[in-house]
Amino acid sequence: MLLHLSTWPEIEQYLSQSQGIIIPIGSTEQHGPTGLIGTDAICAEAIAQGVGEMTQALVAPTLGVGMALHHGAFPGTISLHPTTLILVIRDFITSLVRAGFQKFFFVNAHGGNVATLKAAFAETYCYLSDLRLPGADTVQCQVANWYMQRGVYTLAQEFYGDQEGSHATPSEVALTQYVYPDAIKTAPLAALGPRQWGIYGAADFRRRYPDGRMGSNPALATPDQGQRLYDVAVAELAKAYGEFLAAEPV
Amino acid sequence: MLLHLSTWPEIEQYLSQSQGIIIPIGSTEQHGPTGLIGTDAICAEAIAQGVGEMTQALVAPTLGVGMALHHGAFPGTISLHPTTLILVIRDFITSLVRAGFQKFFFVNAHGGNVATLKAAFAETYCYLSDLRLPGADTVQCQVANWYMQRGVYTLAQEFYGDQEGSHATPSEVALTQYVYPDAIKTAPLAALGPRQWGIYGAADFRRRYPDGRMGSNPALATPDQGQRLYDVAVAELAKAYGEFLAAEPV
Amino acid sequence: MLLHLSTWPEIEQYLSQSQGIIIPIGSTEQHGPTGLIGTDAICAEAIAQGVGEMTQALVAPTLGVGMALHHGAFPGTISLHPTTLILVIRDFITSLVRAGFQKFFFVNAHGGNVATLKAAFAETYCYLSDLRLPGADTVQCQVANWYMQRGVYTLAQEFYGDQEGSHATPSEVALTQYVYPDAIKTAPLAALGPRQWGIYGAADFRRRYPDGRMGSNPALATPDQGQRLYDVAVAELAKAYGEFLAAEPV
Amino acid sequence: MLLHLSTWPEIEQYLSQSQGIIIPIGSTEQHGPTGLIGTDAICAEAIAQGVGEMTQALVAPTLGVGMALHHGAFPGTISLHPTTLILVIRDFITSLVRAGFQKFFFVNAHGGNVATLKAAFAETYCYLSDLRLPGADTVQCQVANWYMQRGVYTLAQEFYGDQEGSHATPSEVALTQYVYPDAIKTAPLAALGPRQWGIYGAADFRRRYPDGRMGSNPALATPDQGQRLYDVAVAELAKAYGEFLAAEPV
Amino acid sequence: MLLHLSTWPEIEQYLSQSQGIIIPIGSTEQHGPTGLIGTDAICAEAIAQGVGEMTQALVAPTLGVGMALHHGAFPGTISLHPTTLILVIRDFITSLVRAGFQKFFFVNAHGGNVATLKAAFAETYCYLSDLRLPGADTVQCQVANWYMQRGVYTLAQEFYGDQEGSHATPSEVALTQYVYPDAIKTAPLAALGPRQWGIYGAADFRRRYPDGRMGSNPALATPDQGQRLYDVAVAELAKAYGEFLAAEPV
Amino acid sequence: MLLHLSTWPEIEQYLSQSQGIIIPIGSTEQHGPTGLIGTDAICAEAIAQGVGEMTQALVAPTLGVGMALHHGAFPGTISLHPTTLILVIRDFITSLVRAGFQKFFFVNAHGGNVATLKAAFAETYCYLSDLRLPGADTVQCQVANWYMQRGVYTLAQEFYGDQEGSHATPSEVALTQYVYPDAIKTAPLAALGPRQWGIYGAADFRRRYPDGRMGSNPALATPDQGQRLYDVAVAELAKAYGEFLAAEPV
Ligand code: NI
Ligand code: NI
Ligand code: NI
Ligand code: NI
Ligand code: NI
Ligand code: NI
């Protein structure tokens, strides 16, 4: 059930049965010479909607622009400042808490969002409590990174081994190929450089990772792998969402 | 050409030919008993992508959550504070100016966004100039409301006359029916109350417009009308975008 | 009745009879070679006080500095950022709501303020409601632009035709001549350039409108015209204020 | 020379001779049963304009609303938060530094503004320097409280002795009587309570000082005293402004 | 009793007997060629803890970084913006008010903190009241500058006369020598320049006071003097704290 | 070498040899019935200073108050909002970058700080770059959690097994016992409840963990264990700092 394809009376009805909601959050950032700029938004949205179908949960609109300042030296990247994203998350959750939602399950596709998301949760719990909204003190937020689910990780190792890398990975590229088979891109890729993981400012990032990839070989990706990754991710996250809902508030 | 389905080298290539970009901005808010909560996001995205195809312009990801605080007393509405939205717009534009974009054409589907958007443009021009970014002093932003294009307005009058109203209008509902024919909703609608237009706080809004509509009869909407409205909107906005691009900076 | 010339017990007494207040808002910005930098503040204050006298309404101190960033490349302009002005409006209204005011009628003299004012109203309605102040959910704000009143517009057409332009207009200059006859300035004025209306950043504005005027010929202004414009503006806004007060909250 | 009654070319001309400006700052707050709510704005404006005439300095528009949160439990008080006022001062000064101003002399009439003003100066020096504006590193701001000038203090002691108090003082009331002789108010005044000076929150202030006065007897004020206070204040502040201008930047 | 060496049940117990707390606030900034960068933090902490022992009051952790932007052109200085420090103070006090504290006694060692602290108090009183926290409307904050206590001032005059100066003073250096006898520094000191006191931006400060001192001769300082200054400061501030506590809320 | 016990010329000298600095960051929050409220600040400071001695690196003043909103329902906790802490970190780092520092090694003792710290790093990299400070684009920040160092973890398992828990752990309590042997507290401790780890809002936290511990048995702690943990932590972090310094910027 998609929030944007629902009416407000349908949401009112939904709330009488569940106070949980799934929120896809991605990013709009360079993903190497062949990865789509929307890779993270696409992955988060597709998987979140899959989880929503499997669990009959409501899925919110995708937060397609996240915290990607370190990718800012590549054209096409759009990023919020962390302080902006915190306000967005705070406003987003607060709107839904006013309506009666209690459990916020963020399906995340971008490592760069995680810290800011967690900071935003802390900011928001306090904000809701200060507003004295009904139910404020039992609100729970959780962030679930699709790429870190056990089955996803195992598959990625099986498919790509140490060419998975950590940005513009074949896993995420495969998933976008599955979702958008008409948007598969090819380009010559330089050999993988020495392995390293530091992430600092945007200019440093581009010097360090000249074509945008971090130790990955996205040329290995296929749509079929994408489908298998998708299936595993949806199944595991559906289970995780169920457990999140089942956990009683204290 | 969709930003999220492009790679960064493709954007680099695009920038060598054009510095313009189209940005759809909608809202996530109640649209009466039968209108989709995502109505404005859907309309903005569909039309912006249509304009992008017609003009070979790049289309950014949709800003699906806007300024809808006045709809906040209906479940399902998600809104940013104006101050938050200003920061989002500022960050969004700044990211793109760093890459070389100069002309920002916002295709807007929600009246409640307009004031904040314009305030954000003023804030952003100054911010870009203070950052001393290359090209900062020639950046131009424009907001184009699809529902206010002359041809759209004429068609809406022809189709719905004084039952068009001003929120949850049959025009916008028809357009979503054209885009999402599987998500057409029906519900009994109260007779139209006395005509009035005041918009103040959220509680006041719900007292004033109990089912969320403002003088509209969305039951008149059909997908075919939606298609015609779409066609006219795309054509007129494509022309407007062309003129916007053609206007030389001074 | 002027707030700044009243005592707090007088305001307490006033509140027992009316919860409305008139707030003049102008700007401090260049108005071409002959227009006063305080033109908008002067116009807003004079007209608001006229409306106050005619309706026995309380008039707040003038917000003399507004959102004029686009005029920032001319010396003498003082501007708030939109985000600053939103906080000013929020604090201003909140102070008065704490005392019991409910209806805020902004008499505005500067087009550049409108978007930020409307954004500020939305921000403030939510803020007041979150503070749970008594009466928060029935507060109403309205902005009335003196230069857009029908009678003012008609007179301006009659007096100046297409030399009215849109900034540093003879209308507003005439009104300041009526209010400050000792401060009438003259200077040679370049012929009107090609008509255009775009407003972007400050540097662009000065390139586009080198002496600060936007298609106007303020040399046509006379104090007598100013008085007639003043009279019409006061009469029409007094009527508008009366209707604003009379509209029952829901 | 008043900024609001000048044109931008006049300011350009002024800047070729002086980079100093006088900025009146007051407050809009209760001043006891007989004091005008605009007392501080009126005093600051009148004296600043007097100083401007005497020194041929430019005088900016009055900042009529300041930091008066502690007076917030009395109707008619309008206050900015300190954080808002800091942004206002920052924007105000920055606008003028862009034009070439260097020396900012605030004529202040409200003790509650001083701390926030000084904090704003520190914030602004850093902000200007970060913006790398020409002349940023030689900007100087100074706050001069008219009521603390030696001659003013001496006169106040002579006129009112220990009935001067510290808020809604006969001195400031006398000055407003001199400026607005038609707005002299009378009301029965309770005897002076025990002397104390603590200022904390707004509710505490009203409990502590039930009619708004702090140990003062404004019934002693006369317009003639107001004139003498005005004359002394203007003379001393004109001297102070001259010294401020004369001090060479290092 | 030190907060950081206590457990939460001990604080709960303390609150049943007292709602007062002492908060040391210093700065991390250059103190001339021989003064420690932590001088103000060291002085504030030592004296506050002394006061705490003498009065059996709870002492909070030291705010070691304050508002020292004007010292920013000397390496080692760390400063918060005034707007940041206001938020820090607000959060700090709010945390403690939630627990039941009512009286906040700031022992301050840095003149540059005073304005921002007072602005923060005003901001915080309003914030607490808006949050409707229990006891919000009786909270009291006070700042006590150790270097301005009468006995301290007298001793400083006796010890150093007009070589006390106003930054990197022998008084404060002596006190740090008493606290950290192993960290006494020596360096050649230029003769005292002409006396002046202006403080503006950071670059100006360094031009004006090239080695960081403001008219002081810290070479006069001895640890014994430091001890005597400490003793006097503690005794006088203990008395001031007692009076602060004893003053009944109204 | 401690920043607060150094002079500015000493820092200038240090910068000619190293551009690295160690910054201890802790928290001021409840640590169960026997843990000190300053536990995290104490641990961070002691270990950071140990690392500084071992590596001859400069150690900044301790950030003793962090992000502990979730502990806010226990008296004695002091917390910054995440948005406040981001500004503090931004100001802190920016001050030091202005002086020439490049490598910021945060020794952290509180899990609740990590997300906000990382968000702050991203915010700060962009801010520094926007300020165009020399060296802005090669600044590197790193957070090192002492409690997650391999040797520390191994020792904790050896000492406490599954009674280590995750808040108010015997490890951190032991370390504070080693540093402050005179401040060892005892109290009866309830048996460990069912294992769980969720952290949401402050009220939820107190309901979930009634005495403040999260699955830990701090009664097992001894000062000797504290010393061994300290030694291991210092050794491993000294090594990590060395590697951080050695990594060449790209
Ligand atoms: Ni990705
Ligand atoms: Ni709509
Ligand atoms: Ni105007
Ligand atoms: Ni006053
Ligand atoms: Ni000092
Ligand atoms: Ni801890």
Side-chain angles (χ1 to χ4, degrees), chain F residues 29 31 39-40 109-110 167-168 172:
Chain F
E29 66 187 39
H31 270 79
T39 295
D40 296 350
H110 173 49
H167 181 67
E172 58 183 345

mmCIF file with all atom_site columns, all heavy atoms in Angstrom, chain F residues 29 31 39-40 109-110 167-168 172, ligand 6:
data_model
loop_
_atom_site.group_PDB
_atom_site.id
_atom_site.type_symbol
_atom_site.label_atom_id
_atom_site.label_alt_id
_atom_site.label_comp_id
_atom_site.label_asym_id
_atom_site.label_entity_id
_atom_site.label_seq_id
_atom_site.pdbx_PDB_ins_code
_atom_site.Cartn_x
_atom_site.Cartn_y
_atom_site.Cartn_z
_atom_site.occupancy
_atom_site.B_iso_or_equiv
_atom_site.pdbx_formal_charge
_atom_site.auth_seq_id
_atom_site.auth_comp_id
_atom_site.auth_asym_id
_atom_site.auth_atom_id
_atom_site.pdbx_PDB_model_num
ATOM   1  N  N   . GLU F 1 29  ? 26.155 11.976 31.576 1.00 0.00 ? 29  GLU F N   1
ATOM   2  C  CA  . GLU F 1 29  ? 24.893 11.232 31.564 1.00 0.00 ? 29  GLU F CA  1
ATOM   3  C  C   . GLU F 1 29  ? 24.920 10.168 32.635 1.00 0.00 ? 29  GLU F C   1
ATOM   4  O  O   . GLU F 1 29  ? 25.987 9.682  33.026 1.00 0.00 ? 29  GLU F O   1
ATOM   5  C  CB  . GLU F 1 29  ? 24.717 10.568 30.191 1.00 0.00 ? 29  GLU F CB  1
ATOM   6  C  CG  . GLU F 1 29  ? 25.748 9.497  29.933 1.00 0.00 ? 29  GLU F CG  1
ATOM   7  C  CD  . GLU F 1 29  ? 25.740 8.908  28.525 1.00 0.00 ? 29  GLU F CD  1
ATOM   8  O  OE1 . GLU F 1 29  ? 25.543 9.686  27.576 1.00 0.00 ? 29  GLU F OE1 1
ATOM   9  O  OE2 . GLU F 1 29  ? 25.949 7.701  28.397 1.00 0.00 ? 29  GLU F OE2 1
ATOM   10 N  N   . HIS F 1 31  ? 24.996 6.817  34.544 1.00 0.00 ? 31  HIS F N   1
ATOM   11 C  CA  . HIS F 1 31  ? 25.652 5.543  34.268 1.00 0.00 ? 31  HIS F CA  1
ATOM   12 C  C   . HIS F 1 31  ? 25.238 4.505  35.307 1.00 0.00 ? 31  HIS F C   1
ATOM   13 O  O   . HIS F 1 31  ? 26.081 3.815  35.884 1.00 0.00 ? 31  HIS F O   1
ATOM   14 C  CB  . HIS F 1 31  ? 27.175 5.725  34.244 1.00 0.00 ? 31  HIS F CB  1
ATOM   15 C  CG  . HIS F 1 31  ? 27.699 6.070  32.877 1.00 0.00 ? 31  HIS F CG  1
ATOM   16 N  ND1 . HIS F 1 31  ? 27.635 7.328  32.352 1.00 0.00 ? 31  HIS F ND1 1
ATOM   17 C  CD2 . HIS F 1 31  ? 28.282 5.307  31.898 1.00 0.00 ? 31  HIS F CD2 1
ATOM   18 C  CE1 . HIS F 1 31  ? 28.158 7.348  31.133 1.00 0.00 ? 31  HIS F CE1 1
ATOM   19 N  NE2 . HIS F 1 31  ? 28.552 6.137  30.831 1.00 0.00 ? 31  HIS F NE2 1
ATOM   20 N  N   . THR F 1 39  ? 31.381 9.576  33.608 1.00 0.00 ? 39  THR F N   1
ATOM   21 C  CA  . THR F 1 39  ? 32.160 8.416  33.161 1.00 0.00 ? 39  THR F CA  1
ATOM   22 C  C   . THR F 1 39  ? 32.766 8.594  31.766 1.00 0.00 ? 39  THR F C   1
ATOM   23 O  O   . THR F 1 39  ? 33.976 8.405  31.569 1.00 0.00 ? 39  THR F O   1
ATOM   24 C  CB  . THR F 1 39  ? 31.279 7.140  33.183 1.00 0.00 ? 39  THR F CB  1
ATOM   25 O  OG1 . THR F 1 39  ? 30.929 6.859  34.545 1.00 0.00 ? 39  THR F OG1 1
ATOM   26 C  CG2 . THR F 1 39  ? 32.010 5.951  32.589 1.00 0.00 ? 39  THR F CG2 1
ATOM   27 N  N   . ASP F 1 40  ? 31.954 8.967  30.825 1.00 0.00 ? 40  ASP F N   1
ATOM   28 C  CA  . ASP F 1 40  ? 32.442 9.027  29.445 1.00 0.00 ? 40  ASP F CA  1
ATOM   29 C  C   . ASP F 1 40  ? 33.442 10.168 29.252 1.00 0.00 ? 40  ASP F C   1
ATOM   30 O  O   . ASP F 1 40  ? 34.420 10.030 28.499 1.00 0.00 ? 40  ASP F O   1
ATOM   31 C  CB  . ASP F 1 40  ? 31.274 9.188  28.471 1.00 0.00 ? 40  ASP F CB  1
ATOM   32 C  CG  . ASP F 1 40  ? 30.343 7.981  28.497 1.00 0.00 ? 40  ASP F CG  1
ATOM   33 O  OD1 . ASP F 1 40  ? 30.699 6.957  29.112 1.00 0.00 ? 40  ASP F OD1 1
ATOM   34 O  OD2 . ASP F 1 40  ? 29.264 8.072  27.912 1.00 0.00 ? 40  ASP F OD2 1
ATOM   35 N  N   . ALA F 1 109 ? 34.140 8.268  23.890 1.00 0.00 ? 109 ALA F N   1
ATOM   36 C  CA  . ALA F 1 109 ? 33.786 7.299  24.931 1.00 0.00 ? 109 ALA F CA  1
ATOM   37 C  C   . ALA F 1 109 ? 32.292 7.051  25.024 1.00 0.00 ? 109 ALA F C   1
ATOM   38 O  O   . ALA F 1 109 ? 31.842 6.418  25.962 1.00 0.00 ? 109 ALA F O   1
ATOM   39 C  CB  . ALA F 1 109 ? 34.304 7.808  26.282 1.00 0.00 ? 109 ALA F CB  1
ATOM   40 N  N   . HIS F 1 110 ? 31.539 7.526  24.066 1.00 0.00 ? 110 HIS F N   1
ATOM   41 C  CA  . HIS F 1 110 ? 30.081 7.435  24.188 1.00 0.00 ? 110 HIS F CA  1
ATOM   42 C  C   . HIS F 1 110 ? 29.458 7.079  22.845 1.00 0.00 ? 110 HIS F C   1
ATOM   43 O  O   . HIS F 1 110 ? 29.527 7.848  21.886 1.00 0.00 ? 110 HIS F O   1
ATOM   44 C  CB  . HIS F 1 110 ? 29.544 8.777  24.695 1.00 0.00 ? 110 HIS F CB  1
ATOM   45 C  CG  . HIS F 1 110 ? 28.053 8.865  24.707 1.00 0.00 ? 110 HIS F CG  1
ATOM   46 N  ND1 . HIS F 1 110 ? 27.241 7.883  25.258 1.00 0.00 ? 110 HIS F ND1 1
ATOM   47 C  CD2 . HIS F 1 110 ? 27.200 9.816  24.243 1.00 0.00 ? 110 HIS F CD2 1
ATOM   48 C  CE1 . HIS F 1 110 ? 25.982 8.227  25.126 1.00 0.00 ? 110 HIS F CE1 1
ATOM   49 N  NE2 . HIS F 1 110 ? 25.925 9.388  24.511 1.00 0.00 ? 110 HIS F NE2 1
ATOM   50 N  N   . HIS F 1 167 ? 25.710 -0.405 28.466 1.00 0.00 ? 167 HIS F N   1
ATOM   51 C  CA  . HIS F 1 167 ? 25.786 0.938  29.065 1.00 0.00 ? 167 HIS F CA  1
ATOM   52 C  C   . HIS F 1 167 ? 25.996 0.775  30.561 1.00 0.00 ? 167 HIS F C   1
ATOM   53 O  O   . HIS F 1 167 ? 25.427 -0.112 31.174 1.00 0.00 ? 167 HIS F O   1
ATOM   54 C  CB  . HIS F 1 167 ? 24.524 1.763  28.804 1.00 0.00 ? 167 HIS F CB  1
ATOM   55 C  CG  . HIS F 1 167 ? 24.616 3.129  29.398 1.00 0.00 ? 167 HIS F CG  1
ATOM   56 N  ND1 . HIS F 1 167 ? 25.508 4.074  28.947 1.00 0.00 ? 167 HIS F ND1 1
ATOM   57 C  CD2 . HIS F 1 167 ? 23.963 3.702  30.444 1.00 0.00 ? 167 HIS F CD2 1
ATOM   58 C  CE1 . HIS F 1 167 ? 25.392 5.167  29.682 1.00 0.00 ? 167 HIS F CE1 1
ATOM   59 N  NE2 . HIS F 1 167 ? 24.465 4.968  30.591 1.00 0.00 ? 167 HIS F NE2 1
ATOM   60 N  N   . ALA F 1 168 ? 26.788 1.698  31.117 1.00 0.00 ? 168 ALA F N   1
ATOM   61 C  CA  . ALA F 1 168 ? 27.219 1.558  32.507 1.00 0.00 ? 168 ALA F CA  1
ATOM   62 C  C   . ALA F 1 168 ? 27.952 0.231  32.649 1.00 0.00 ? 168 ALA F C   1
ATOM   63 O  O   . ALA F 1 168 ? 27.733 -0.520 33.609 1.00 0.00 ? 168 ALA F O   1
ATOM   64 C  CB  . ALA F 1 168 ? 26.037 1.672  33.473 1.00 0.00 ? 168 ALA F CB  1
ATOM   65 N  N   . GLU F 1 172 ? 33.910 0.497  31.613 1.00 0.00 ? 172 GLU F N   1
ATOM   66 C  CA  . GLU F 1 172 ? 34.071 1.945  31.757 1.00 0.00 ? 172 GLU F CA  1
ATOM   67 C  C   . GLU F 1 172 ? 34.077 2.339  33.223 1.00 0.00 ? 172 GLU F C   1
ATOM   68 O  O   . GLU F 1 172 ? 34.804 3.256  33.627 1.00 0.00 ? 172 GLU F O   1
ATOM   69 C  CB  . GLU F 1 172 ? 33.013 2.714  30.955 1.00 0.00 ? 172 GLU F CB  1
ATOM   70 C  CG  . GLU F 1 172 ? 31.586 2.412  31.312 1.00 0.00 ? 172 GLU F CG  1
ATOM   71 C  CD  . GLU F 1 172 ? 30.578 3.167  30.402 1.00 0.00 ? 172 GLU F CD  1
ATOM   72 O  OE1 . GLU F 1 172 ? 30.962 4.115  29.710 1.00 0.00 ? 172 GLU F OE1 1
ATOM   73 O  OE2 . GLU F 1 172 ? 29.398 2.787  30.420 1.00 0.00 ? 172 GLU F OE2 1
HETATM 74 NI NI  . NI  G 2 .   ? 29.462 5.462  29.084 1.00 0.00 ? 6   NI  G NI  1
#
